[in-house]
PDB file of all heavy atoms in Angstrom:
ATOM      1  N   ALA A 388     -23.712 -17.070   1.141  1.00 97.00           N
ATOM      2  CA  ALA A 388     -22.560 -16.179   1.432  1.00 97.00           C
ATOM      3  C   ALA A 388     -21.307 -16.861   1.640  1.00 97.00           C
ATOM      4  O   ALA A 388     -20.403 -16.389   2.333  1.00 97.00           O
ATOM      5  CB  ALA A 388     -22.967 -15.322   2.732  1.00 97.00           C
ATOM      6  N   LEU A 389     -21.150 -18.021   1.002  1.00 97.00           N
ATOM      7  CA  LEU A 389     -19.912 -18.741   1.053  1.00 97.00           C
ATOM      8  C   LEU A 389     -19.792 -19.688  -0.090  1.00 97.00           C
ATOM      9  O   LEU A 389     -20.857 -20.105  -0.659  1.00 97.00           O
ATOM     10  CB  LEU A 389     -19.764 -19.506   2.365  1.00 97.00           C
ATOM     11  CG  LEU A 389     -20.634 -20.688   2.585  1.00 97.00           C
ATOM     12  CD1 LEU A 389     -20.019 -21.604   3.554  1.00 97.00           C
ATOM     13  CD2 LEU A 389     -22.035 -20.267   3.048  1.00 97.00           C
ATOM     14  N   GLN A 390     -18.573 -20.009  -0.530  1.00 96.00           N
ATOM     15  CA  GLN A 390     -18.416 -21.026  -1.480  1.00 96.00           C
ATOM     16  C   GLN A 390     -17.599 -22.150  -0.892  1.00 96.00           C
ATOM     17  O   GLN A 390     -18.135 -23.186  -0.494  1.00 96.00           O
ATOM     18  CB  GLN A 390     -17.791 -20.445  -2.767  1.00 96.00           C
ATOM     19  CG  GLN A 390     -18.860 -19.569  -3.509  1.00 96.00           C
ATOM     20  CD  GLN A 390     -18.277 -19.071  -4.855  1.00 96.00           C
ATOM     21  OE1 GLN A 390     -17.454 -19.735  -5.462  1.00 96.00           O
ATOM     22  NE2 GLN A 390     -18.674 -17.874  -5.174  1.00 96.00           N
ATOM     23  N   CYS A 391     -16.270 -21.977  -0.770  1.00 97.00           N
ATOM     24  CA  CYS A 391     -15.496 -23.037  -0.183  1.00 97.00           C
ATOM     25  C   CYS A 391     -15.675 -23.037   1.371  1.00 97.00           C
ATOM     26  O   CYS A 391     -15.483 -24.105   2.008  1.00 97.00           O
ATOM     27  CB  CYS A 391     -14.030 -22.888  -0.464  1.00 97.00           C
ATOM     28  SG  CYS A 391     -13.138 -21.694   0.493  1.00 97.00           S
ATOM     29  N   GLY A 392     -16.041 -21.876   1.955  1.00 96.00           N
ATOM     30  CA  GLY A 392     -16.267 -21.884   3.383  1.00 96.00           C
ATOM     31  C   GLY A 392     -15.128 -21.717   4.279  1.00 96.00           C
ATOM     32  O   GLY A 392     -15.212 -21.691   5.562  1.00 96.00           O
ATOM     33  N   PHE A 393     -13.941 -21.563   3.692  1.00 98.00           N
ATOM     34  CA  PHE A 393     -12.734 -21.555   4.550  1.00 98.00           C
ATOM     35  C   PHE A 393     -12.731 -20.261   5.449  1.00 98.00           C
ATOM     36  O   PHE A 393     -12.317 -20.348   6.606  1.00 98.00           O
ATOM     37  CB  PHE A 393     -11.462 -21.591   3.697  1.00 98.00           C
ATOM     38  CG  PHE A 393     -10.318 -21.983   4.522  1.00 98.00           C
ATOM     39  CD1 PHE A 393     -10.096 -23.300   4.887  1.00 98.00           C
ATOM     40  CD2 PHE A 393      -9.376 -21.001   4.968  1.00 98.00           C
ATOM     41  CE1 PHE A 393      -8.986 -23.699   5.714  1.00 98.00           C
ATOM     42  CE2 PHE A 393      -8.346 -21.345   5.891  1.00 98.00           C
ATOM     43  CZ  PHE A 393      -8.147 -22.698   6.180  1.00 98.00           C
ATOM     44  N   CYS A 394     -13.137 -19.193   4.880  1.00 98.00           N
ATOM     45  CA  CYS A 394     -13.074 -17.910   5.612  1.00 98.00           C
ATOM     46  C   CYS A 394     -14.284 -17.699   6.526  1.00 98.00           C
ATOM     47  O   CYS A 394     -14.259 -16.780   7.298  1.00 98.00           O
ATOM     48  CB  CYS A 394     -13.021 -16.696   4.611  1.00 98.00           C
ATOM     49  SG  CYS A 394     -14.554 -16.565   3.678  1.00 98.00           S
ATOM     50  N   THR A 395     -15.328 -18.572   6.354  1.00 98.00           N
ATOM     51  CA  THR A 395     -16.611 -18.330   6.972  1.00 98.00           C
ATOM     52  C   THR A 395     -16.648 -18.248   8.478  1.00 98.00           C
ATOM     53  O   THR A 395     -17.223 -17.403   9.089  1.00 98.00           O
ATOM     54  CB  THR A 395     -17.567 -19.328   6.482  1.00 98.00           C
ATOM     55  OG1 THR A 395     -17.447 -19.453   5.055  1.00 98.00           O
ATOM     56  CG2 THR A 395     -19.029 -18.946   6.822  1.00 98.00           C
ATOM     57  N   ILE A 398     -15.323 -14.917   9.696  1.00 98.00           N
ATOM     58  CA  ILE A 398     -16.284 -13.786   9.386  1.00 98.00           C
ATOM     59  C   ILE A 398     -17.414 -13.868  10.301  1.00 98.00           C
ATOM     60  O   ILE A 398     -17.890 -12.811  10.816  1.00 98.00           O
ATOM     61  CB  ILE A 398     -16.694 -13.893   7.869  1.00 98.00           C
ATOM     62  CG1 ILE A 398     -15.454 -13.503   6.984  1.00 98.00           C
ATOM     63  CG2 ILE A 398     -17.877 -12.987   7.621  1.00 98.00           C
ATOM     64  CD1 ILE A 398     -15.770 -13.557   5.550  1.00 98.00           C
ATOM     65  N   LEU A 425     -10.158 -11.852   4.523  1.00 96.00           N
ATOM     66  CA  LEU A 425      -9.890 -12.154   3.098  1.00 96.00           C
ATOM     67  C   LEU A 425     -10.813 -13.371   2.710  1.00 96.00           C
ATOM     68  O   LEU A 425     -10.624 -14.396   3.265  1.00 96.00           O
ATOM     69  CB  LEU A 425      -8.425 -12.463   2.818  1.00 96.00           C
ATOM     70  CG  LEU A 425      -7.450 -11.325   3.058  1.00 96.00           C
ATOM     71  CD1 LEU A 425      -6.029 -11.788   2.720  1.00 96.00           C
ATOM     72  CD2 LEU A 425      -7.838 -10.150   2.158  1.00 96.00           C
ATOM     73  N   CYS A 426     -11.624 -13.079   1.774  1.00 97.00           N
ATOM     74  CA  CYS A 426     -12.439 -14.190   1.156  1.00 97.00           C
ATOM     75  C   CYS A 426     -12.054 -14.239  -0.304  1.00 97.00           C
ATOM     76  O   CYS A 426     -12.105 -13.301  -1.082  1.00 97.00           O
ATOM     77  CB  CYS A 426     -13.921 -13.940   1.231  1.00 97.00           C
ATOM     78  SG  CYS A 426     -14.889 -15.211   0.415  1.00 97.00           S
ATOM     79  N   ARG A 427     -11.504 -15.392  -0.744  1.00 95.00           N
ATOM     80  CA  ARG A 427     -11.042 -15.525  -2.117  1.00 95.00           C
ATOM     81  C   ARG A 427     -12.142 -16.125  -3.017  1.00 95.00           C
ATOM     82  O   ARG A 427     -11.923 -16.256  -4.226  1.00 95.00           O
ATOM     83  CB  ARG A 427      -9.781 -16.422  -2.138  1.00 95.00           C
ATOM     84  CG  ARG A 427      -8.556 -15.800  -1.456  1.00 95.00           C
ATOM     85  CD  ARG A 427      -8.006 -14.549  -2.063  1.00 95.00           C
ATOM     86  NE  ARG A 427      -8.696 -13.355  -1.639  1.00 95.00           N
ATOM     87  CZ  ARG A 427      -8.286 -12.111  -1.781  1.00 95.00           C
ATOM     88  NH1 ARG A 427      -7.039 -11.983  -2.200  1.00 95.00           N
ATOM     89  NH2 ARG A 427      -8.970 -11.067  -1.402  1.00 95.00           N
ATOM     90  N   CYS A 428     -13.315 -16.465  -2.501  1.00 96.00           N
ATOM     91  CA  CYS A 428     -14.348 -17.023  -3.280  1.00 96.00           C
ATOM     92  C   CYS A 428     -15.457 -16.068  -3.734  1.00 96.00           C
ATOM     93  O   CYS A 428     -15.984 -16.161  -4.824  1.00 96.00           O
ATOM     94  CB  CYS A 428     -15.063 -18.172  -2.579  1.00 96.00           C
ATOM     95  SG  CYS A 428     -13.965 -19.632  -2.285  1.00 96.00           S
ATOM     96  N   THR A 429     -15.940 -15.193  -2.820  1.00 94.00           N
ATOM     97  CA  THR A 429     -17.321 -14.664  -3.096  1.00 94.00           C
ATOM     98  C   THR A 429     -17.382 -13.237  -3.556  1.00 94.00           C
ATOM     99  O   THR A 429     -18.417 -12.759  -3.927  1.00 94.00           O
ATOM    100  CB  THR A 429     -18.155 -14.721  -1.768  1.00 94.00           C
ATOM    101  OG1 THR A 429     -17.689 -13.710  -0.910  1.00 94.00           O
ATOM    102  CG2 THR A 429     -18.104 -16.047  -1.105  1.00 94.00           C
ATOM    103  N   ILE A 434     -21.854 -11.862   1.002  1.00 98.00           N
ATOM    104  CA  ILE A 434     -21.485 -11.865   2.485  1.00 98.00           C
ATOM    105  C   ILE A 434     -22.148 -10.613   3.095  1.00 98.00           C
ATOM    106  O   ILE A 434     -22.773 -10.634   4.176  1.00 98.00           O
ATOM    107  CB  ILE A 434     -19.972 -11.904   2.744  1.00 98.00           C
ATOM    108  CG1 ILE A 434     -19.423 -13.122   2.184  1.00 98.00           C
ATOM    109  CG2 ILE A 434     -19.650 -11.715   4.198  1.00 98.00           C
ATOM    110  CD1 ILE A 434     -17.867 -13.208   2.293  1.00 98.00           C
TER     111      ILE A 434
HETATM  112  S1  FES C 780     -15.787 -18.817   0.827  1.00 60.01           S
HETATM  113 FE1  FES C 780     -13.888 -19.472   0.082  1.00 60.01          FE
HETATM  114  S2  FES C 780     -12.503 -18.112   0.902  1.00 60.01           S
HETATM  115 FE2  FES C 780     -14.388 -17.329   1.527  1.00 60.01          FE
END
Side-chain angles (χ1 to χ4, degrees):
Chain A
L389 68 158
Q390 287 183 36
C391 79
F393 198 80
C394 66
T395 312
I398 289 181
L425 294 179
C426 176
R427 298 292 81 163
C428 293
T429 74
I434 298 177

